[in-house]
Short mmCIF file of all heavy atoms in Angstrom, two decimals:
data_model
loop_
_atom_site.label_atom_id
_atom_site.label_comp_id
_atom_site.label_asym_id
_atom_site.label_seq_id
_atom_site.Cartn_x
_atom_site.Cartn_y
_atom_site.Cartn_z
N MET R 181 7.52 12.82 12.38
CA MET R 181 6.82 12.05 13.42
C MET R 181 5.63 11.30 12.84
O MET R 181 5.25 10.26 13.36
CB MET R 181 6.41 12.97 14.57
CG MET R 181 5.08 13.69 14.35
SD MET R 181 4.70 14.83 15.69
CE MET R 181 2.93 14.94 15.52
N SER R 182 5.08 11.85 11.73
CA SER R 182 3.94 11.14 11.14
C SER R 182 4.41 9.95 10.28
O SER R 182 3.61 9.12 9.90
CB SER R 182 3.10 12.08 10.28
OG SER R 182 3.90 12.64 9.28
N ASP R 183 5.71 9.90 9.99
CA ASP R 183 6.23 8.80 9.17
C ASP R 183 5.90 7.44 9.79
O ASP R 183 5.60 6.50 9.10
CB ASP R 183 7.76 8.91 9.04
CG ASP R 183 8.14 10.02 8.07
OD1 ASP R 183 7.22 10.57 7.43
OD2 ASP R 183 9.32 10.34 7.98
N PHE R 184 5.97 7.39 11.09
CA PHE R 184 5.71 6.12 11.78
C PHE R 184 4.30 5.64 11.48
O PHE R 184 4.08 4.50 11.11
CB PHE R 184 5.91 6.31 13.28
CG PHE R 184 5.62 5.07 14.07
CD1 PHE R 184 6.55 4.03 14.11
CD2 PHE R 184 4.44 4.93 14.77
CE1 PHE R 184 6.29 2.87 14.83
CE2 PHE R 184 4.17 3.78 15.49
CZ PHE R 184 5.09 2.75 15.52
N ASN R 185 3.34 6.55 11.61
CA ASN R 185 1.95 6.18 11.36
C ASN R 185 1.70 5.82 9.91
O ASN R 185 1.00 4.87 9.61
CB ASN R 185 1.03 7.32 11.76
CG ASN R 185 1.02 7.53 13.27
OD1 ASN R 185 1.15 6.57 14.02
ND2 ASN R 185 0.90 8.76 13.69
N ILE R 186 2.30 6.60 9.01
CA ILE R 186 2.10 6.35 7.59
C ILE R 186 2.63 4.96 7.22
O ILE R 186 2.00 4.23 6.47
CB ILE R 186 2.79 7.46 6.74
CG1 ILE R 186 2.03 8.78 6.90
CG2 ILE R 186 2.86 7.05 5.27
CD1 ILE R 186 2.75 9.98 6.34
N SER R 187 3.76 4.60 7.79
CA SER R 187 4.35 3.31 7.44
C SER R 187 3.48 2.15 7.90
O SER R 187 3.56 1.05 7.38
CB SER R 187 5.75 3.19 8.04
OG SER R 187 5.68 3.06 9.43
N LYS R 188 2.61 2.41 8.86
CA LYS R 188 1.71 1.37 9.37
C LYS R 188 0.39 1.31 8.61
O LYS R 188 -0.46 0.48 8.91
CB LYS R 188 1.40 1.61 10.86
CG LYS R 188 2.61 1.50 11.75
CD LYS R 188 2.90 0.06 12.09
CE LYS R 188 4.01 -0.04 13.14
NZ LYS R 188 4.32 -1.42 13.49
N THR R 189 0.24 2.23 7.67
CA THR R 189 -1.01 2.29 6.92
C THR R 189 -1.13 1.10 5.98
O THR R 189 -0.18 0.71 5.31
CB THR R 189 -1.05 3.59 6.09
OG1 THR R 189 -0.93 4.69 6.96
CG2 THR R 189 -2.37 3.69 5.31
N TRP R 190 -2.32 0.51 5.94
CA TRP R 190 -2.57 -0.60 5.03
C TRP R 190 -3.10 -0.07 3.71
O TRP R 190 -3.97 0.80 3.69
CB TRP R 190 -3.59 -1.56 5.65
CG TRP R 190 -3.01 -2.35 6.77
CD1 TRP R 190 -2.99 -2.01 8.09
CD2 TRP R 190 -2.35 -3.62 6.68
NE1 TRP R 190 -2.36 -2.99 8.81
CE2 TRP R 190 -1.97 -3.99 7.99
CE3 TRP R 190 -2.06 -4.48 5.60
CZ2 TRP R 190 -1.28 -5.18 8.25
CZ3 TRP R 190 -1.38 -5.66 5.88
CH2 TRP R 190 -1.01 -6.01 7.19
N ILE R 191 -2.54 -0.58 2.63
CA ILE R 191 -3.03 -0.22 1.31
C ILE R 191 -3.32 -1.50 0.53
O ILE R 191 -2.85 -2.58 0.90
CB ILE R 191 -2.02 0.65 0.52
CG1 ILE R 191 -0.69 -0.09 0.33
CG2 ILE R 191 -1.79 1.98 1.23
CD1 ILE R 191 0.27 0.60 -0.61
N SER R 192 -4.10 -1.37 -0.51
CA SER R 192 -4.41 -2.52 -1.36
C SER R 192 -3.72 -2.38 -2.71
O SER R 192 -3.72 -1.30 -3.28
CB SER R 192 -5.92 -2.62 -1.59
OG SER R 192 -6.57 -2.81 -0.37
N ILE R 193 -3.14 -3.47 -3.15
CA ILE R 193 -2.63 -3.51 -4.51
C ILE R 193 -3.35 -4.65 -5.23
O ILE R 193 -3.93 -5.52 -4.58
CB ILE R 193 -1.10 -3.71 -4.57
CG1 ILE R 193 -0.71 -5.06 -3.94
CG2 ILE R 193 -0.38 -2.57 -3.89
CD1 ILE R 193 0.72 -5.45 -4.23
N ASN R 194 -3.30 -4.62 -6.54
CA ASN R 194 -3.90 -5.71 -7.30
C ASN R 194 -2.82 -6.57 -7.91
O ASN R 194 -1.83 -6.06 -8.43
CB ASN R 194 -4.81 -5.16 -8.39
CG ASN R 194 -6.04 -4.49 -7.82
OD1 ASN R 194 -6.60 -4.94 -6.82
ND2 ASN R 194 -6.45 -3.40 -8.42
N CYS R 195 -3.01 -7.86 -7.83
CA CYS R 195 -2.06 -8.79 -8.44
C CYS R 195 -1.99 -8.51 -9.95
O CYS R 195 -3.02 -8.42 -10.61
CB CYS R 195 -2.53 -10.22 -8.20
SG CYS R 195 -1.55 -11.44 -9.07
N PRO R 196 -0.76 -8.34 -10.48
CA PRO R 196 -0.63 -8.05 -11.92
C PRO R 196 -1.08 -9.21 -12.81
O PRO R 196 -1.37 -9.02 -13.99
CB PRO R 196 0.87 -7.76 -12.09
CG PRO R 196 1.52 -8.36 -10.90
CD PRO R 196 0.51 -8.34 -9.79
N LYS R 197 -1.17 -10.40 -12.24
CA LYS R 197 -1.54 -11.56 -13.03
C LYS R 197 -3.05 -11.83 -12.98
O LYS R 197 -3.70 -11.97 -14.00
CB LYS R 197 -0.76 -12.79 -12.55
CG LYS R 197 -0.93 -13.99 -13.45
CD LYS R 197 -0.11 -15.16 -12.93
CE LYS R 197 -0.40 -16.43 -13.74
NZ LYS R 197 0.18 -17.62 -13.10
N CYS R 198 -3.61 -11.90 -11.76
CA CYS R 198 -5.01 -12.30 -11.63
C CYS R 198 -5.90 -11.18 -11.10
O CYS R 198 -7.10 -11.36 -10.96
CB CYS R 198 -5.12 -13.53 -10.74
SG CYS R 198 -4.74 -13.19 -9.02
N ASP R 199 -5.30 -10.02 -10.78
CA ASP R 199 -6.06 -8.86 -10.30
C ASP R 199 -6.67 -9.06 -8.91
O ASP R 199 -7.53 -8.31 -8.50
CB ASP R 199 -7.15 -8.47 -11.31
CG ASP R 199 -7.24 -6.95 -11.44
OD1 ASP R 199 -6.21 -6.28 -11.31
OD2 ASP R 199 -8.36 -6.46 -11.66
N TYR R 200 -6.21 -10.06 -8.23
CA TYR R 200 -6.67 -10.30 -6.86
C TYR R 200 -6.18 -9.15 -5.96
O TYR R 200 -5.05 -8.68 -6.10
CB TYR R 200 -6.10 -11.63 -6.38
CG TYR R 200 -6.59 -12.09 -5.04
CD1 TYR R 200 -7.83 -12.74 -4.91
CD2 TYR R 200 -5.81 -11.93 -3.90
CE1 TYR R 200 -8.27 -13.19 -3.67
CE2 TYR R 200 -6.25 -12.38 -2.66
CZ TYR R 200 -7.48 -13.00 -2.56
OH TYR R 200 -7.90 -13.45 -1.33
N SER R 201 -7.01 -8.70 -5.06
CA SER R 201 -6.65 -7.59 -4.18
C SER R 201 -5.81 -8.08 -3.01
O SER R 201 -6.21 -9.02 -2.31
CB SER R 201 -7.93 -6.91 -3.69
OG SER R 201 -7.58 -5.83 -2.86
N ILE R 202 -4.67 -7.45 -2.80
CA ILE R 202 -3.75 -7.86 -1.74
C ILE R 202 -3.50 -6.68 -0.82
O ILE R 202 -3.17 -5.59 -1.29
CB ILE R 202 -2.40 -8.33 -2.34
CG1 ILE R 202 -2.61 -9.43 -3.37
CG2 ILE R 202 -1.45 -8.78 -1.23
CD1 ILE R 202 -1.43 -9.60 -4.31
N ASP R 203 -3.68 -6.88 0.47
CA ASP R 203 -3.42 -5.82 1.44
C ASP R 203 -1.97 -5.86 1.88
O ASP R 203 -1.47 -6.91 2.30
CB ASP R 203 -4.33 -5.97 2.66
CG ASP R 203 -5.78 -5.67 2.32
OD1 ASP R 203 -6.01 -4.85 1.42
OD2 ASP R 203 -6.67 -6.24 2.97
N ILE R 204 -1.30 -4.73 1.81
CA ILE R 204 0.08 -4.64 2.30
C ILE R 204 0.19 -3.40 3.17
O ILE R 204 -0.64 -2.51 3.11
CB ILE R 204 1.10 -4.52 1.15
CG1 ILE R 204 0.86 -3.24 0.33
CG2 ILE R 204 1.06 -5.75 0.26
CD1 ILE R 204 2.02 -2.87 -0.55
N GLN R 205 1.23 -3.37 3.99
CA GLN R 205 1.50 -2.15 4.74
C GLN R 205 2.41 -1.26 3.92
O GLN R 205 3.27 -1.74 3.16
CB GLN R 205 2.15 -2.49 6.08
CG GLN R 205 1.12 -2.88 7.14
CD GLN R 205 1.73 -2.98 8.52
OE1 GLN R 205 2.70 -3.68 8.71
NE2 GLN R 205 1.15 -2.28 9.48
N LEU R 206 2.22 0.03 4.07
CA LEU R 206 3.01 1.00 3.32
C LEU R 206 4.51 0.77 3.55
O LEU R 206 5.33 0.95 2.66
CB LEU R 206 2.61 2.41 3.77
CG LEU R 206 2.70 3.52 2.74
CD1 LEU R 206 2.16 3.11 1.40
CD2 LEU R 206 1.95 4.73 3.26
N ARG R 207 4.83 0.35 4.74
CA ARG R 207 6.23 0.05 5.09
C ARG R 207 6.82 -0.99 4.12
O ARG R 207 7.97 -0.90 3.72
CB ARG R 207 6.27 -0.49 6.53
CG ARG R 207 7.64 -0.69 7.10
CD ARG R 207 7.52 -1.23 8.52
NE ARG R 207 6.86 -2.53 8.51
CZ ARG R 207 7.50 -3.70 8.34
NH1 ARG R 207 8.79 -3.71 8.18
NH2 ARG R 207 6.83 -4.83 8.33
N ASP R 208 5.98 -1.99 3.75
CA ASP R 208 6.45 -3.03 2.84
C ASP R 208 6.80 -2.44 1.48
O ASP R 208 7.77 -2.86 0.84
CB ASP R 208 5.37 -4.11 2.67
CG ASP R 208 5.15 -4.88 3.96
OD1 ASP R 208 6.14 -5.09 4.69
OD2 ASP R 208 4.01 -5.26 4.22
N ALA R 209 5.98 -1.48 1.04
CA ALA R 209 6.25 -0.84 -0.25
C ALA R 209 7.52 -0.01 -0.17
O ALA R 209 8.31 0.03 -1.12
CB ALA R 209 5.07 0.04 -0.65
N MET R 210 7.72 0.63 0.97
CA MET R 210 8.90 1.50 1.13
C MET R 210 10.19 0.70 1.09
O MET R 210 11.21 1.18 0.58
CB MET R 210 8.81 2.27 2.47
CG MET R 210 7.78 3.39 2.43
SD MET R 210 7.49 4.01 4.10
CE MET R 210 6.46 5.43 3.72
N ILE R 211 10.18 -0.47 1.66
CA ILE R 211 11.41 -1.28 1.68
C ILE R 211 11.46 -2.25 0.50
O ILE R 211 12.32 -3.10 0.42
CB ILE R 211 11.56 -2.05 3.02
CG1 ILE R 211 10.41 -3.05 3.22
CG2 ILE R 211 11.65 -1.08 4.19
CD1 ILE R 211 10.62 -3.95 4.43
N GLU R 212 10.50 -2.08 -0.43
CA GLU R 212 10.46 -2.87 -1.66
C GLU R 212 10.52 -4.37 -1.37
O GLU R 212 11.30 -5.11 -1.97
CB GLU R 212 11.61 -2.46 -2.61
CG GLU R 212 11.51 -1.01 -3.01
CD GLU R 212 12.52 -0.64 -4.10
OE1 GLU R 212 13.03 -1.56 -4.75
OE2 GLU R 212 12.77 0.55 -4.29
N SER R 213 9.72 -4.79 -0.42
CA SER R 213 9.68 -6.20 -0.09
C SER R 213 8.84 -6.96 -1.12
O SER R 213 8.19 -6.37 -1.97
CB SER R 213 9.12 -6.41 1.31
OG SER R 213 7.80 -5.92 1.38
N THR R 214 8.89 -8.26 -1.03
CA THR R 214 8.14 -9.11 -1.95
C THR R 214 6.92 -9.68 -1.24
O THR R 214 7.01 -10.13 -0.10
CB THR R 214 9.03 -10.26 -2.44
OG1 THR R 214 10.16 -9.71 -3.12
CG2 THR R 214 8.27 -11.17 -3.39
N VAL R 215 5.77 -9.60 -1.89
CA VAL R 215 4.55 -10.16 -1.32
C VAL R 215 4.07 -11.29 -2.22
O VAL R 215 4.48 -11.38 -3.38
CB VAL R 215 3.44 -9.11 -1.15
CG1 VAL R 215 3.87 -8.05 -0.15
CG2 VAL R 215 3.07 -8.49 -2.47
N TYR R 216 3.20 -12.14 -1.68
CA TYR R 216 2.69 -13.25 -2.45
C TYR R 216 1.19 -13.11 -2.66
O TYR R 216 0.46 -12.78 -1.74
CB TYR R 216 3.01 -14.58 -1.73
CG TYR R 216 4.48 -14.84 -1.68
CD1 TYR R 216 5.24 -14.40 -0.61
CD2 TYR R 216 5.12 -15.48 -2.74
CE1 TYR R 216 6.62 -14.60 -0.57
CE2 TYR R 216 6.49 -15.69 -2.72
CZ TYR R 216 7.23 -15.24 -1.63
OH TYR R 216 8.58 -15.43 -1.61
N CYS R 217 0.76 -13.37 -3.89
CA CYS R 217 -0.66 -13.35 -4.17
C CYS R 217 -1.28 -14.59 -3.54
O CYS R 217 -0.82 -15.70 -3.78
CB CYS R 217 -0.89 -13.33 -5.68
SG CYS R 217 -2.63 -13.45 -6.10
N HIS R 218 -2.34 -14.38 -2.75
CA HIS R 218 -2.99 -15.50 -2.08
C HIS R 218 -3.82 -16.33 -3.05
O HIS R 218 -4.22 -17.43 -2.74
CB HIS R 218 -3.87 -15.00 -0.93
CG HIS R 218 -3.10 -14.24 0.10
ND1 HIS R 218 -2.09 -14.80 0.84
CD2 HIS R 218 -3.17 -12.94 0.48
CE1 HIS R 218 -1.58 -13.89 1.65
NE2 HIS R 218 -2.21 -12.74 1.45
N ASN R 219 -4.09 -15.76 -4.19
CA ASN R 219 -4.95 -16.44 -5.16
C ASN R 219 -4.14 -17.30 -6.13
O ASN R 219 -4.35 -18.50 -6.23
CB ASN R 219 -5.78 -15.39 -5.91
CG ASN R 219 -6.83 -16.02 -6.79
OD1 ASN R 219 -7.52 -16.94 -6.37
ND2 ASN R 219 -6.95 -15.54 -8.00
N CYS R 220 -3.18 -16.68 -6.85
CA CYS R 220 -2.44 -17.43 -7.87
C CYS R 220 -1.02 -17.77 -7.44
O CYS R 220 -0.28 -18.41 -8.19
CB CYS R 220 -2.46 -16.69 -9.20
SG CYS R 220 -1.51 -15.16 -9.19
N LYS R 221 -0.63 -17.33 -6.24
CA LYS R 221 0.64 -17.73 -5.59
C LYS R 221 1.90 -17.18 -6.24
O LYS R 221 2.99 -17.66 -5.94
CB LYS R 221 0.76 -19.28 -5.52
CG LYS R 221 -0.48 -19.99 -5.01
CD LYS R 221 -0.78 -19.66 -3.57
CE LYS R 221 -1.98 -20.46 -3.09
NZ LYS R 221 -2.52 -19.92 -1.83
N ILE R 222 1.77 -16.20 -7.13
CA ILE R 222 3.00 -15.62 -7.67
C ILE R 222 3.58 -14.65 -6.65
O ILE R 222 2.86 -14.15 -5.78
CB ILE R 222 2.78 -14.88 -9.02
CG1 ILE R 222 1.86 -13.66 -8.85
CG2 ILE R 222 2.25 -15.85 -10.08
CD1 ILE R 222 1.93 -12.69 -10.02
N SER R 223 4.85 -14.37 -6.76
CA SER R 223 5.47 -13.37 -5.91
C SER R 223 5.49 -12.04 -6.65
O SER R 223 5.68 -11.99 -7.86
CB SER R 223 6.89 -13.78 -5.52
OG SER R 223 7.70 -13.88 -6.66
N ILE R 224 5.25 -10.97 -5.91
CA ILE R 224 5.17 -9.64 -6.50
C ILE R 224 6.19 -8.76 -5.80
O ILE R 224 6.11 -8.54 -4.59
CB ILE R 224 3.76 -9.04 -6.34
CG1 ILE R 224 2.71 -9.95 -6.95
CG2 ILE R 224 3.70 -7.64 -6.94
CD1 ILE R 224 1.32 -9.74 -6.38
N LYS R 225 7.15 -8.28 -6.55
CA LYS R 225 8.12 -7.34 -5.99
C LYS R 225 7.49 -5.96 -6.01
O LYS R 225 7.08 -5.46 -7.05
CB LYS R 225 9.39 -7.37 -6.84
CG LYS R 225 10.47 -6.42 -6.38
CD LYS R 225 11.40 -7.09 -5.37
CE LYS R 225 12.73 -6.33 -5.27
NZ LYS R 225 12.56 -5.00 -4.65
N LEU R 226 7.40 -5.35 -4.83
CA LEU R 226 6.75 -4.05 -4.74
C LEU R 226 7.61 -2.95 -5.34
O LEU R 226 8.83 -3.01 -5.27
CB LEU R 226 6.43 -3.73 -3.28
CG LEU R 226 5.49 -4.72 -2.60
CD1 LEU R 226 5.35 -4.38 -1.13
CD2 LEU R 226 4.14 -4.74 -3.27
N LEU R 227 6.97 -1.97 -5.94
CA LEU R 227 7.65 -0.84 -6.57
C LEU R 227 8.64 -1.31 -7.63
O LEU R 227 9.77 -0.87 -7.69
CB LEU R 227 8.37 0.01 -5.53
CG LEU R 227 7.50 0.69 -4.47
CD1 LEU R 227 8.34 1.59 -3.58
CD2 LEU R 227 6.39 1.52 -5.10
N ASP R 228 8.21 -2.21 -8.47
CA ASP R 228 9.08 -2.74 -9.52
C ASP R 228 8.88 -2.01 -10.84
O ASP R 228 9.38 -2.42 -11.87
CB ASP R 228 8.83 -4.24 -9.70
CG ASP R 228 7.39 -4.53 -10.08
OD1 ASP R 228 6.59 -3.58 -10.17
OD2 ASP R 228 7.07 -5.71 -10.29
N GLY R 229 8.13 -0.91 -10.82
CA GLY R 229 7.95 -0.14 -12.04
C GLY R 229 6.84 -0.68 -12.93
O GLY R 229 6.62 -0.17 -14.01
N SER R 230 6.13 -1.69 -12.48
CA SER R 230 5.04 -2.25 -13.26
C SER R 230 3.78 -1.42 -13.09
O SER R 230 3.75 -0.47 -12.33
CB SER R 230 4.77 -3.69 -12.84
OG SER R 230 4.23 -3.69 -11.54
N ALA R 231 2.73 -1.80 -13.80
CA ALA R 231 1.46 -1.09 -13.69
C ALA R 231 0.94 -1.14 -12.26
O ALA R 231 0.33 -0.19 -11.78
CB ALA R 231 0.44 -1.68 -14.64
N SER R 232 1.19 -2.24 -11.58
CA SER R 232 0.69 -2.37 -10.22
C SER R 232 1.34 -1.33 -9.31
O SER R 232 0.74 -0.85 -8.37
CB SER R 232 0.94 -3.77 -9.68
OG SER R 232 2.31 -4.02 -9.57
N ALA R 233 2.58 -0.98 -9.61
CA ALA R 233 3.28 -0.01 -8.77
C ALA R 233 2.65 1.37 -8.88
O ALA R 233 2.55 2.08 -7.89
CB ALA R 233 4.75 0.05 -9.14
N SER R 234 2.23 1.75 -10.08
CA SER R 234 1.63 3.08 -10.22
C SER R 234 0.26 3.12 -9.56
O SER R 234 -0.13 4.12 -8.99
CB SER R 234 1.54 3.49 -11.68
OG SER R 234 0.74 2.60 -12.41
N ARG R 235 -0.46 1.99 -9.63
CA ARG R 235 -1.75 1.93 -8.91
C ARG R 235 -1.50 2.04 -7.42
O ARG R 235 -2.26 2.63 -6.68
CB ARG R 235 -2.46 0.61 -9.23
CG ARG R 235 -3.57 0.79 -10.25
CD ARG R 235 -4.28 -0.50 -10.49
NE ARG R 235 -3.46 -1.42 -11.24
CZ ARG R 235 -3.86 -2.63 -11.62
NH1 ARG R 235 -5.05 -3.06 -11.29
NH2 ARG R 235 -3.08 -3.41 -12.31
N ASN R 236 -0.43 1.41 -7.00
CA ASN R 236 0.04 1.44 -5.64
C ASN R 236 0.22 2.87 -5.16
O ASN R 236 -0.24 3.25 -4.09
CB ASN R 236 1.42 0.76 -5.67
CG ASN R 236 1.75 0.08 -4.39
OD1 ASN R 236 0.98 0.17 -3.44
ND2 ASN R 236 2.86 -0.59 -4.34
N ILE R 237 0.91 3.67 -5.97
CA ILE R 237 1.19 5.05 -5.60
C ILE R 237 -0.12 5.83 -5.49
O ILE R 237 -0.30 6.63 -4.59
CB ILE R 237 2.15 5.69 -6.62
CG1 ILE R 237 3.54 5.07 -6.45
CG2 ILE R 237 2.20 7.20 -6.46
CD1 ILE R 237 4.47 5.29 -7.62
N LYS R 238 -1.06 5.56 -6.39
CA LYS R 238 -2.36 6.23 -6.30
C LYS R 238 -3.04 5.90 -4.99
O LYS R 238 -3.62 6.76 -4.35
CB LYS R 238 -3.25 5.82 -7.46
CG LYS R 238 -3.03 6.68 -8.68
CD LYS R 238 -3.98 6.31 -9.80
CE LYS R 238 -3.52 6.93 -11.11
NZ LYS R 238 -3.87 6.11 -12.26
N SER R 239 -2.97 4.63 -4.59
CA SER R 239 -3.57 4.22 -3.32
C SER R 239 -2.92 4.95 -2.17
O SER R 239 -3.58 5.38 -1.24
CB SER R 239 -3.41 2.71 -3.12
OG SER R 239 -4.06 2.02 -4.14
N ILE R 240 -1.60 5.10 -2.24
CA ILE R 240 -0.88 5.79 -1.18
C ILE R 240 -1.35 7.24 -1.10
O ILE R 240 -1.61 7.76 -0.02
CB ILE R 240 0.64 5.72 -1.43
CG1 ILE R 240 1.13 4.28 -1.24
CG2 ILE R 240 1.40 6.66 -0.49
CD1 ILE R 240 2.55 4.03 -1.71
N GLU R 241 -1.48 7.88 -2.26
CA GLU R 241 -1.94 9.26 -2.27
C GLU R 241 -3.33 9.39 -1.66
O GLU R 241 -3.61 10.31 -0.90
CB GLU R 241 -1.93 9.81 -3.70
CG GLU R 241 -0.52 10.12 -4.18
CD GLU R 241 -0.45 10.44 -5.65
OE1 GLU R 241 -1.47 10.29 -6.34
OE2 GLU R 241 0.63 10.85 -6.09
N ASN R 242 -4.20 8.43 -1.99
CA ASN R 242 -5.54 8.45 -1.41
C ASN R 242 -5.47 8.31 0.10
O ASN R 242 -6.20 8.98 0.83
CB ASN R 242 -6.39 7.32 -1.99
CG ASN R 242 -6.79 7.60 -3.42
OD1 ASN R 242 -6.78 8.74 -3.86
ND2 ASN R 242 -7.14 6.55 -4.15
N LYS R 243 -4.61 7.43 0.56
CA LYS R 243 -4.47 7.22 2.00
C LYS R 243 -3.94 8.47 2.68
O LYS R 243 -4.35 8.82 3.77
CB LYS R 243 -3.54 6.03 2.28
CG LYS R 243 -4.16 4.68 1.99
CD LYS R 243 -5.28 4.36 2.97
CE LYS R 243 -5.92 3.00 2.64
NZ LYS R 243 -7.13 2.79 3.45
N LEU R 244 -3.00 9.15 2.03
CA LEU R 244 -2.45 10.37 2.61
C LEU R 244 -3.53 11.44 2.69
O LEU R 244 -3.60 12.19 3.66
CB LEU R 244 -1.25 10.86 1.80
CG LEU R 244 0.00 9.98 1.91
CD1 LEU R 244 1.10 10.51 1.01
CD2 LEU R 244 0.50 9.91 3.35
N ASP R 245 -4.38 11.51 1.67
CA ASP R 245 -5.50 12.46 1.71
C ASP R 245 -6.41 12.15 2.89
O ASP R 245 -6.83 13.03 3.62
CB ASP R 245 -6.31 12.39 0.42
CG ASP R 245 -5.60 13.13 -0.72
OD1 ASP R 245 -4.64 13.86 -0.43
OD2 ASP R 245 -6.01 12.95 -1.87
N GLU R 246 -6.70 10.87 3.06
CA GLU R 246 -7.55 10.45 4.19
C GLU R 246 -6.91 10.85 5.50
O GLU R 246 -7.58 11.35 6.40
CB GLU R 246 -7.71 8.92 4.18
CG GLU R 246 -8.81 8.42 3.28
CD GLU R 246 -8.85 6.90 3.24
OE1 GLU R 246 -8.52 6.27 4.27
OE2 GLU R 246 -9.17 6.35 2.18
N LEU R 247 -5.61 10.63 5.58
CA LEU R 247 -4.88 10.94 6.81
C LEU R 247 -4.94 12.44 7.08
O LEU R 247 -5.17 12.87 8.20
CB LEU R 247 -3.42 10.48 6.65
CG LEU R 247 -2.56 10.54 7.91
CD1 LEU R 247 -3.05 9.53 8.94
CD2 LEU R 247 -1.11 10.26 7.56
N ASN R 248 -4.75 13.24 6.04
CA ASN R 248 -4.83 14.70 6.20
C ASN R 248 -6.19 15.12 6.70
O ASN R 248 -6.31 15.97 7.57
CB ASN R 248 -4.53 15.39 4.85
CG ASN R 248 -3.03 15.43 4.59
OD1 ASN R 248 -2.23 15.37 5.51
ND2 ASN R 248 -2.66 15.51 3.33
N ARG R 249 -7.23 14.50 6.12
CA ARG R 249 -8.59 14.84 6.55
C ARG R 249 -8.79 14.47 8.01
O ARG R 249 -9.38 15.21 8.78
CB ARG R 249 -9.63 14.14 5.67
CG ARG R 249 -9.94 14.91 4.40
CD ARG R 249 -11.23 14.43 3.78
NE ARG R 249 -11.13 13.05 3.32
CZ ARG R 249 -10.68 12.71 2.12
NH1 ARG R 249 -10.30 13.63 1.26
NH2 ARG R 249 -10.61 11.46 1.77
N THR R 250 -8.26 13.30 8.39
CA THR R 250 -8.40 12.85 9.77
C THR R 250 -7.72 13.81 10.71
O THR R 250 -8.25 14.19 11.75
CB THR R 250 -7.79 11.45 9.93
OG1 THR R 250 -8.39 10.59 8.97
CG2 THR R 250 -8.02 10.90 11.32
N LEU R 251 -6.51 14.24 10.32
CA LEU R 251 -5.76 15.17 11.18
C LEU R 251 -6.50 16.50 11.31
O LEU R 251 -6.54 17.08 12.39
CB LEU R 251 -4.36 15.40 10.61
CG LEU R 251 -3.42 14.19 10.70
CD1 LEU R 251 -2.12 14.47 9.98
CD2 LEU R 251 -3.13 13.84 12.16
N LYS R 252 -7.09 16.96 10.19
CA LYS R 252 -7.83 18.22 10.25
C LYS R 252 -9.03 18.12 11.18
O LYS R 252 -9.37 19.05 11.89
CB LYS R 252 -8.29 18.64 8.85
CG LYS R 252 -7.19 19.36 8.09
CD LYS R 252 -7.60 19.72 6.67
CE LYS R 252 -6.40 20.23 5.88
NZ LYS R 252 -6.43 19.79 4.50
N ASN R 253 -9.65 16.95 11.16
CA ASN R 253 -10.81 16.75 12.04
C ASN R 253 -10.40 16.73 13.51
O ASN R 253 -11.18 17.09 14.38
CB ASN R 253 -11.53 15.43 11.70
CG ASN R 253 -12.27 15.53 10.38
OD1 ASN R 253 -12.62 16.62 9.93
ND2 ASN R 253 -12.51 14.39 9.76
N LEU R 254 -9.18 16.29 13.76
CA LEU R 254 -8.72 16.20 15.13
C LEU R 254 -8.47 17.57 15.74
O LEU R 254 -8.67 17.77 16.94
CB LEU R 254 -7.42 15.38 15.20
CG LEU R 254 -7.57 13.87 15.07
CD1 LEU R 254 -6.21 13.21 15.07
CD2 LEU R 254 -8.40 13.30 16.22
N PHE R 255 -8.02 18.49 14.89
CA PHE R 255 -7.66 19.81 15.46
C PHE R 255 -8.71 20.87 15.21
O PHE R 255 -9.05 21.20 14.16
CB PHE R 255 -6.30 20.26 14.89
CG PHE R 255 -5.20 19.34 15.31
CD1 PHE R 255 -4.60 18.50 14.40
CD2 PHE R 255 -4.80 19.28 16.66
CE1 PHE R 255 -3.59 17.63 14.81
CE2 PHE R 255 -3.79 18.42 17.05
CZ PHE R 255 -3.19 17.58 16.13
ZN1 ZN D 212 -2.58 -13.40 -8.40
#
């Protein structure tokens, strides 16, 4: 049931070319969609095994920690 909320979570990735910060929804990463850098206009395939993908996973873990803390505060 929490999957729905997690998929709506916004995370930041960095453009592998110019390091510009790009906000995506976790859902986009899950379906491996392609996003565009607003700065240098390249397309970035999410979860493509590049360095940006591993940073991506770290961001997701941080968000999950935040979510856990939020849930603990609620109960
Ligand atoms: Zn860029």
